[in-house]
Amino acid sequence: MGIDGRRIAITGGAGGMGRAIAKAAAERGARVFLLDLAPDVGEVATAHGGVGGIVADITDPTSALHSVVAAVDALGGLDVLVNGAGWDRPGLFASSTPAEWQRIVAINYLGVLAVTQCALPALREAGDGAIVSIASDTARVGGWGEAVYAGAKGAVVSFSKSLAREEARHGIRVNCVSPSVTDTAFQARLEEDDLGRKIVEGAVRATPMRRVGQPGEIAEAVLFLADPATSGYITGQVLSVNGGVAM
C-alpha cells in the first residue's frame, strides 16, 4: 500500500482500533501521531511505532485545536486524519438522561467536527489529503439500546458525505469505515452490564460470519481509504467491515 511517508493523525489513538491503525500504518512507513484522552497516549504511540502523542479532549474546541497543531508540528504537515475516538453507554432511550445524550453526541460527533475543522488547512496544503472517520453499522440499521449513539454516528456519516462534496476541490477525500461489534475495550465496556451483553450477543448471532471483528481488520480498511494509490477516486463513501451483519 502506498502510505509510505504519509503523515497520519489518529484520534482515539490509545484505544484498540487506534493502536491497530497506528501499528499497521507505521509498519508500512507512515509517520503517525496519536491524540487521546488517556494519559499514556505518548507511551502508546512510541510502543506502536508512532512519532508521538498528546493528551487531548476532542469535545473541547480549544483542546482540539491545540492537539491538532501539535500533531501537524510533530509530523511536519498532515496527509491523513483518522477520526477514531468514540464512546457509548448502552441503555434504552426512554430511561436515558440529557447529560448522557450530551456526552455521547459530544464525543462521537461534535469532536469529529472540531478536530476536522482544525485539520483542514494542513490537509488542504497536502494536496492529496484524506479524512477517514470511524462510523458504526448502527448508523445504517439502528441499534437496540444504542439509539443516541446510532444517531451520533449517523450524523458522522451525513457530515462526511457533505464534507466530501465541499473539499474535493481541495484534493481531500472524505470517507467512513463502519464496523459492527469489534474486539476492543469499547466492546468490553459494553459487556459490563446485562443490556450491553445482550447487544453484543445479539450482534454476533445476527452476523453471518458468527464472530466479532478484530481491530486489525478495521485498520486495513482505514489504510485502504487513506492511500491515494488504492482509493484515489473514492470519496463520500461508507465501507462496512461487519462480517455481513448488514449488507
Side-chain angles (χ1 to χ4, degrees):
M1 299 180 75
I3 63 167
D4 186 14
R6 297 276 276 175
R7 300 158 297 181
I8 303 177
I10 305 169
T11 71
M17 286 189 195
R19 294 179 188 217
I21 297 165
K23 182 175 183 292
E27 287 175 347
R28 290 168 170 84
R31 291 172 52 79
V32 180
F33 191 92
L34 305 184
L35 296 71
D36 200 290
L37 197 58
D40 64 343
V41 61
E43 290 83 353
V44 171
T46 300
H48 291 79
V51 302
I54 188 171
V55 176
D57 179 0
I58 64 170
T59 68
D60 176 357
T62 300
S63 178
L65 176 59
H66 174 69
S67 61
V68 170
V69 169
V72 172
D73 287 347
L75 296 170
L78 188 64
D79 301 298
V80 181
L81 170 65
V82 179
N83 287 308
W87 180 84
D88 189 22
R89 174 174 290 160
L92 298 181
F93 179 71
S95 57
S96 64
T97 67
E100 289 171 339
W101 308 341
Q102 289 165 8
R103 186 177 183 195
I104 291 170
V105 173
I107 295 172
N108 294 287
Y109 180 46
L110 298 181
V112 171
L113 300 186
V115 173
T116 299
Q117 187 178 65
C118 293
L120 281 179
L123 291 169
R124 287 177 173 181
E125 186 176 343
D128 60 351
I131 300 169
V132 184
S133 296
I134 303 298
S136 166
D137 268 9
T138 62
R140 299 173 53 204
V141 298
W144 186 84
E146 297 182 287
V148 181
Y149 175 78
K153 289 299 189 179
V156 170
V157 170
S158 296
F159 165 69
S160 298
K161 289 178 176 289
S162 300
L163 189 65
R165 294 183 179 276
E166 294 181 7
E167 292 300 320
R169 71 192 69 184
H170 299 290
I172 300 174
R173 296 176 298 105
V174 188
N175 294 288
C176 294
V177 169
S178 181
S180 182
V181 177
T182 307
D183 186 14
T184 63
F186 185 99
Q187 176 194 321
R189 284 195 301 272
L190 281 180
E191 295 183 287
E192 287 175 355
D193 60 43
D194 289 340
L195 181 63
R197 240 181 337 270
K198 288 179 181 178
I199 291 172
V200 174
E201 291 170 357
V204 173
R205 283 196 303 270
T207 301
M209 295 184 73
R210 289 295 190 273
R211 66 173 177 86
V212 299
Q214 295 300 312
E217 294 170 319
I218 310 305
E220 292 300 327
V222 170
L223 296 187
F224 168 77
L225 291 172
D227 181 359
T230 55
S231 59
Y233 199 51
I234 299 175
T235 195
Q237 303 303 311
V238 180
L239 175 58
S240 287
V241 186
N242 63 10
V245 68
M247 301 185 186

